[in-house]
Amino acid sequence: MADKAYITPNVLKWARESARMSEEIAAAKVTVSIEKIREWEEGISQPTIRQAQTLAKSYKRPFALFFLPDIPRDFQPLQDFRKSGSKSLTTSSIFIIREIQQKQAWIRDVYSDSQEQKLPFVGLFNINSNPEKVAKDILETLNINPLFYKSDNPIKEWIDAAEINGIFISRTSFIHSRLKLDSDELQGFAIADSYAPFIFVNSEDWNAPQLFTLVHELAHIWIAETGISNEVEPNLKQKDKFHPVELFCNEVAANALMPKEIILNFDASLFQSSKGIFKIAKQLGVSSFALLVRALNLNIISVNTYQDLKKQADKNFAEYLIREAEKKAKQKDKENPGGPNYFLLQLNRNSRLFTQTVLDAFRGGYIEPTLASNLLNVQVNKFQKLESQLVR
């Protein structure tokens, strides 16, 4: 008979519930009945060690946690700034939030213990500040001019600039192949810490919404408002359903990505056709929709023009998505049959800056191999492959 794991029943139940996992899904993970899961959580019977280990892995918790005498203190939930009526956070969102909180807590302790200087821009402004001034400070701090990107990939430039300034940026669209993130549920979040600010962006979206989300979350850092966001792009409707912090951060993002002086300097005739709108939007790395809202708010176009161009932009965008899907399909045929590079995906998920910091600590003998592996989600003997992705 397999050895029993004499776990603490209420801790086992808490681990499942905090992962937002139903009894049905938990039972399927270990191929037992729902009744058996209930028995384990009520202390009537015990799982085997192997079953308990499987559940620990499924709940993204250390196996040893099940043997604690009582429910441990967990990370505080992040402030929910999402639009009212949004979906409840599901397992994938809970897992990525917890993962980033763990990374951020570790790096914060490292920086705090080594008496690193606090970052001066965290909380430099507040929600009552002028969004234009906040946007200007972000652009100056990161040394970015939206009119003169160095490549056709603005989001990469923003991420590099943010990480050079000590802001960790994580991007992914999944926990694993069977557990994907839903951008309707979670587009991004920010942990506004003065030692180690961390931003997460759901990469399920295409690049323009990702960039807007990234800059929106940077605004959260600048006003020291930790929390999670969805439906980040500017919206003319149902503003009453949005949290004031979200509306403010959207304003900052719009001012940073589409500064007033830059927008007003474009030939006005470009704002009268969908092709002109698309041309400007592509140059600035934003969506046509975001640019149309900005042009309307700056009184460059009328409501009627906005509505006409919005319809055309929606049609053009649908066609663009079809072209992109075809392009990706062709690229996939040329790619390695194993799919995208696993280590590059992990690098983006961990944040390049975080990955480099952990690897430096590991190489210097400051942290144990097991901790480094847990922080990076990569086996120690694969670190070289992960490190090779840092070079570009």
Side-chain angles (χ1 to χ4, degrees), residues 347-362:
L347 182 65
N348 291 333
R349 176 169 165 173
N350 291 330
S351 131
R352 284 179 174 270
L353 176 59
F354 185 82
T355 300
Q356 187 67 71
T357 305
V358 173
L359 287 173
D360 287 347
F362 169 70

Side-chain angles (χ1 to χ4, degrees), residues 121 136-145 157-165 167 218 222:
F121 51 78
K136 188 178 178 187
D137 194 76
I138 291 173
L139 291 171
E140 288 176 353
T141 301
L142 302 189
N143 193 25
I144 285 177
N145 183 336
E157 294 184 36
W158 276 87
I159 290 171
D160 289 347
E163 296 212 314
I164 285 169
N165 283 276
I167 305 166
L218 285 169
W222 255 251

Side-chain angles (χ1 to χ4, degrees), residues 228-246:
I228 60 177
S229 311
N230 73 340
E231 299 198 31
V232 168
E233 280 222 334
N235 200 323
L236 294 176
K237 297 177 181 177
Q238 300 179 312
K239 283 197 173 184
D240 57 311
K241 289 195 173 184
F242 287 86
H243 194 286
V245 166
E246 292 300 273

Side-chain angles (χ1 to χ4, degrees), residues 330-341:
K330 286 178 183 175
Q331 285 175 343
K332 199 171 181 182
D333 290 339
K334 293 178 185 176
E335 281 176 0
N336 186 315
N341 186 297

